Amino acid sequence: MIARGGRRTLLLMLGLAGLAACSDADERNYADAEASSGSAASENLDALAVETGALPDTAQIDPSGRYGRRYEGGSDSLCVVPDGSARGRYRFGAETRIGGEEYCRGTGHARLSADKLLLRFDGAGSECMIVARYEGDKIVMPGGLDLHCAALCSSRGSFSGVAFPRLDRDVATARGTRDARGQPLCR
């Protein structure tokens, strides 16, 4: 038998536990609703920004050109040129260097699909395919890459997360892009 004061304490504790359970369920439902509406709102905001010209319509901007940057201890280079077979089909070459020893390098075929640039490498990395984000003024590699892409890199090199800012849109200049050894990166 529970003493009178103990019963009150027990009832109070059970009531508080029930409120906490309701609060947790409400919080989860709110978070789920917020996430789904946030995604739709983000897409609507992006569409409005493209419509007003605040963001470029990447589907209308040809990715051909030269991309890259130099920074203390390294450099990133990427060139994209039309392959001549069909609209939206390209050849590309990419190289990233970190110091003198670490690097990734590869060439292949690319295809533009909305705001994505699908990069399929040739040669040693032929199993490597990267779906990069194309933003009109830069190309951004994803943070996680297929394990087959390691064949393109030295032991600690990686294309993972590399952003290539656009340097120019000239196809002739892109074809003349050279890697760190002076070899043509795009043909």
Side-chain angles (χ1 to χ4, degrees), residues 72-143:
E72 187 176 332
S75 65
D76 303 321
S77 298
L78 176 88
C79 52
V80 179
V81 296
D83 78 353
S85 67
R87 179 171 158 73
R89 306 263 181 194
Y90 304 90
R91 296 246 343 120
F92 76 93
E95 179 180 61
T96 184
R97 289 209 157 275
I98 305 149
E101 304 293 320
E102 303 304 327
Y103 66 91
C104 287
R105 184 187 189 289
T107 60
H109 293 83
R111 185 170 51 91
L112 183 62
S113 178
D115 65 343
K116 304 290 185 231
L117 195 60
L118 310 169
L119 306 170
R120 181 170 298 279
F121 288 85
D122 297 334
S126 64
E127 297 295 318
C128 174
M129 184 170 147
I130 297 175
V131 180
R133 197 171 67 241
Y134 174 58
E135 298 180 357
D137 62 346
K138 69 181 167 182
I139 295 172
V140 181
M141 301 291 199

Side-chain angles (χ1 to χ4, degrees), residues 3-184:
R4 189 173 200 184
R7 250 187 274 166
R8 282 187 197 150
T9 304
L10 180 60
L11 287 173
L12 182 61
M13 290 175 63
L14 287 172
L16 289 174
L19 284 174
C22 289
S23 175
D24 287 347
D26 288 344
E27 215 170 279
R28 280 191 300 275
N29 290 339
Y30 177 75
D32 291 344
E34 190 176 77
S36 65
S37 70
S39 175
S42 176
E43 289 174 13
N44 290 340
L45 188 58
D46 286 350
L48 182 61
V50 167
E51 185 178 313
T52 61
L55 284 177
D57 184 358
T58 56
Q60 302 300 318
I61 300 173
D62 187 340
S64 295
R66 189 170 55 106
Y67 300 78
R69 65 188 174 127
R70 294 200 182 286
Y71 49 91
E72 187 176 332
S75 65
D76 303 321
S77 298
L78 176 88
C79 52
V80 179
V81 296
D83 78 353
S85 67
R87 179 171 158 73
R89 306 263 181 194
Y90 304 90
R91 296 246 343 120
F92 76 93
E95 179 180 61
T96 184
R97 289 209 157 275
I98 305 149
E101 304 293 320
E102 303 304 327
Y103 66 91
C104 287
R105 184 187 189 289
T107 60
H109 293 83
R111 185 170 51 91
L112 183 62
S113 178
D115 65 343
K116 304 290 185 231
L117 195 60
L118 310 169
L119 306 170
R120 181 170 298 279
F121 288 85
D122 297 334
S126 64
E127 297 295 318
C128 174
M129 184 170 147
I130 297 175
V131 180
R133 197 171 67 241
Y134 174 58
E135 298 180 357
D137 62 346
K138 69 181 167 182
I139 295 172
V140 181
M141 301 291 199
L145 298 177
D146 185 339
L147 292 175
H148 296 290
C149 297
L152 300 166
C153 303
S154 62
S155 63
R156 292 189 341 228
S158 177
F159 279 126
S160 181
V162 175
F164 298 91
R166 186 186 289 269
L167 298 172
D168 61 54
R169 299 179 189 280
D170 185 52
V171 174
T173 304
R175 287 187 201 283
T177 303
R178 304 265 178 202
D179 66 12
R181 296 176 297 180
Q183 300 298 313

